[in-house]
Amino acid sequence: MPNYTLKINGELKSFSADEDTPLLWVLRDELNLVGTKFGCGIAQCGACTIHLNGIAMRSCQLKVSELDSEEITTIEGLSKEGDHPLQEAWKEVDVPQCGYCQAGQIMTAASFLKDNPSPSQEEIRQAMHGNLCRCASYNRIEKAVAIAAKKMS
């Protein structure tokens, strides 16, 4: 089994894994970073969203053998104290019901707001469209993204 070293949340992490192992399972099973969730396994729901070089990506489809010098950020690395403006807005609006998809939602929103710090309501809706929420908290998610955008500007 090959050995890998990846920069995750600003730290070098070493582990062994088969070359076709999805990053999602390394994060959860090898590195105990369980904030990133398994949802569908086919990159359709967004529960496994992380940042790869600052861009929101689905970790269930990223093979560890294809990652080399990239910077990987999980929900645990978004803010050391859990006080990123998005995380604060999520609490303010009381977004989560079951909470399962929320890390992926926040990671998608963080990448989006980095590129579009003053989005319209429609731009927020389009950016978040690819993330599914089983509890249908979409209106609160969109509201929290808008609040965070204002806090971040």
Side-chain angles (χ1 to χ4, degrees):
M1 194 174 309
N3 293 318
Y4 299 95
T5 300
L6 297 176
K7 191 169 189 181
I8 301 173
N9 298 332
E11 298 178 16
L12 292 177
K13 303 283 187 178
S14 297
F15 56 90
S16 296
D18 290 328
E19 59 189 44
D20 62 345
T21 303
L23 176 62
L24 169 66
W25 298 117
V26 170
L27 294 172
R28 293 185 57 79
D29 296 345
E30 300 298 324
L31 303 176
N32 201 32
L33 295 169
V34 295
T36 305
K37 304 295 187 208
F38 172 78
C40 65
I42 57 172
Q44 296 297 306
C45 74
C48 69
T49 303
I50 52 91
H51 291 174
L52 183 66
N53 300 321
I55 300 169
M57 301 288 286
R58 308 295 207 239
S59 64
C60 71
Q61 295 295 299
L62 296 172
K63 294 179 183 176
V64 293
S65 61
E66 296 172 354
L67 304 172
D68 187 21
S69 59
E70 286 83 9
E71 296 269 338
I72 298 164
T73 305
T74 68
I75 190 70
E76 292 91 347
L78 190 62
S79 167
K80 291 194 185 299
E81 303 300 320
D83 59 356
H84 186 280
L86 280 161
Q87 292 167 309
E88 294 295 326
W90 243 247
K91 290 184 264 185
E92 183 179 326
V93 179
D94 197 23
V95 170
Q97 288 184 37
C98 81
Y100 197 82
C101 70
Q102 298 311 306
Q105 300 275 2
I106 289 170
M107 295 304 284
T108 297
S111 179
F112 165 66
L113 290 178
K114 183 182 64 135
D115 294 334
N116 187 349
S118 299
S120 68
Q121 186 66 28
E122 183 57 31
E123 289 171 325
I124 293 170
R125 180 167 284 140
Q126 289 293 40
M128 301 306 295
H129 178 74
N131 286 70
L132 302 179
C133 175
R134 294 173 179 147
C135 301
S137 295
Y138 297 112
N139 291 334
R140 286 185 288 183
I141 290 166
E142 291 171 11
K143 183 176 180 180
V145 174
I147 289 169
K150 287 179 184 161
K151 288 181 179 189
M152 294 168 71
S153 62

